[in-house]
Amino acid sequence: GPNDEAFQRAACERVVTAMGEHFGASPQVVGWQIDNEIGHPFCFCDDCLRHFREWAARRFGTIEQFNDALCTHFWGQTFRSFDELIFPNHYPNPSLWLTYHRFVSDVTVDCFAAQADWLRAAGATAPITTNMMSTWYGYDHEALAEKLDVLALDHYFLTPEGPSSWGREAFTSAFFRGLLPGSTIWFDEGQCGLTGAGIPLPGQMRSWALSQVGLGADQINFFRWDCAPSGSERGEYGLLKPSRERGRLFFELKDTAAELASAAPRLADTLPRTAEAAVLYTWEHHVEFVH
């Protein structure tokens, strides 16, 4: 993970650099996606605990300042040194949870920003991004956005409670466009098949695609072509049936793609109209809400 120096600084750098050198100038490469759905799982191993203590010492300076900032005096949770610092999954303190997540965010952003730097240094010219998971609280999206050329995310809005609302579609688009003002967004993954939450209804994929294009997206990729034959996603997500036959979903998406292709000349280089209202949404508030 992000705290594994041997992985990040050795093996990972060699792989990323080799790919950048080999494919960096290729006109067939339209973009670089760093890793996949980053920001989890949260780790509580001894190695991460050591990094957490070192990070906290750098951030707060002294253990007294750490205790004052987190109000650890309440309930007698005061630490005498950073060596005593433990993870919040064993210590009921919401401020410690927020501090832990700030640590996770910092090391996550540092890890994947380094990969973007390695790609650029190796000669990669296409935009660099990664598929963020909407408003997932695993890291600060705004901090990561500063390291990327274009913002991308996943679209799996078919939940066990039912399909997504227009409000959710609009909020997701506005949130991501706000991370890099004046930019468009990409959808590196869009649902086009069966999941544990169900299967898109007739016309639903078209509605999702047209809605997000209208809200500022200029690239939508659907995941994926056929169903996985094994593993934890066996039989799911495929545009084709598990038998590899073409069915309703295939022809609906084919028609939607043709519709978007015909509209592309009128949509090129356009941006949504500037909103008259704003919603304050912060990553820290999301973390606090979760815990």
Side-chain angles (χ1 to χ4, degrees):
N3 282 321
D4 189 337
E5 296 97 335
F7 166 78
Q8 179 185 349
R9 297 299 173 184
C12 183
E13 184 174 5
R14 289 198 301 270
V15 171
V16 171
T17 299
M19 291 185 67
E21 291 174 347
H22 187 79
F23 297 105
S26 172
Q28 295 175 303
V29 177
V30 299
W32 294 86
Q33 178 181 305
I34 299 173
D35 214 277
N36 174 65
E37 296 181 346
I38 65 175
H40 70 104
F42 301 118
C43 185
F44 303 100
C45 72
D46 290 341
D47 192 45
C48 284
L49 180 58
R50 175 175 60 84
H51 282 281
F52 181 40
R53 290 168 173 171
E54 294 171 352
W55 174 91
R58 292 193 302 270
R59 183 180 179 94
F60 293 93
T62 67
I63 195 63
E64 291 77 18
Q65 290 175 313
F66 179 89
N67 286 320
D68 288 343
L70 274 65
C71 195
T72 58
H73 315 287
F74 187 72
W75 280 10
Q77 297 182 340
T78 307
F79 294 99
R80 294 173 296 179
S81 72
F82 288 108
D83 291 335
E84 291 185 351
L85 192 59
I86 57 178
F87 283 132
N89 56 335
H90 299 297
Y91 203 73
N93 186 315
S95 296
L96 189 59
W97 269 112
L98 178 58
T99 303
Y100 167 76
H101 280 293
R102 282 174 171 159
F103 156 73
V104 171
S105 178
D106 280 358
V107 296
T108 298
V109 172
D110 286 347
C111 173
F112 294 101
Q115 294 184 35
D117 291 339
W118 296 333
L119 281 174
R120 295 185 184 104
T125 57
I128 299 172
T129 189
T130 189
N131 57 330
M132 300 186 189
M133 293 188 293
S134 190
T135 54
W136 169 245
Y137 67 96
Y139 56 92
D140 185 344
H141 288 59
E142 188 172 2
L144 183 60
E146 296 176 358
K147 313 296 183 180
L148 304 174
D149 299 319
V150 64
L151 297 186
L153 64 153
D154 290 351
H155 189 296
Y156 292 103
F157 284 179
L158 188 58
T159 67
E161 293 75 31
S164 64
S165 65
W166 166 253
R168 182 179 176 187
E169 298 276 349
F171 173 79
T172 298
S173 173
F175 170 63
F176 271 83
R177 285 188 287 108
L179 297 178
L180 281 180
S183 67
T184 56
I185 55 178
W186 293 358
F187 284 88
D188 281 1
E189 292 185 23
Q191 183 180 350
C192 63
L194 173 70
T195 69
I199 194 169
L201 300 173
Q204 201 163 34
M205 290 187 300
R206 176 180 181 272
S207 174
W208 288 337
L210 296 184
S211 294
Q212 289 299 343
V213 168
L215 290 167
D218 64 4
Q219 179 170 264
I220 298 179
N221 305 299
F222 286 88
F223 185 83
R224 62 184 168 237
W225 178 250
D226 56 7
C227 295
S230 60
S232 60
E233 294 182 353
R234 183 182 64 185
E236 294 189 343
Y237 296 106
L239 181 61
L240 302 182
K241 297 179 179 180
S243 62
R244 294 200 167 183
E245 296 176 303
R246 301 175 182 181
R248 172 179 66 85
L249 298 174
F250 173 88
F251 291 106
E252 284 187 13
L253 192 53
K254 180 180 178 181
D255 291 343
T256 300
E259 188 176 6
L260 286 171
S262 66
R266 298 188 295 277
L267 296 173
D269 300 321
T270 61
L271 291 171
R273 183 179 301 171
T274 302
E276 298 179 358
V279 175
L280 177 60
Y281 177 89
T282 69
W283 169 74
E284 285 88 354
H285 284 133
H286 192 175
V287 173
E288 291 280 18
F289 174 78
V290 170
H291 292 290

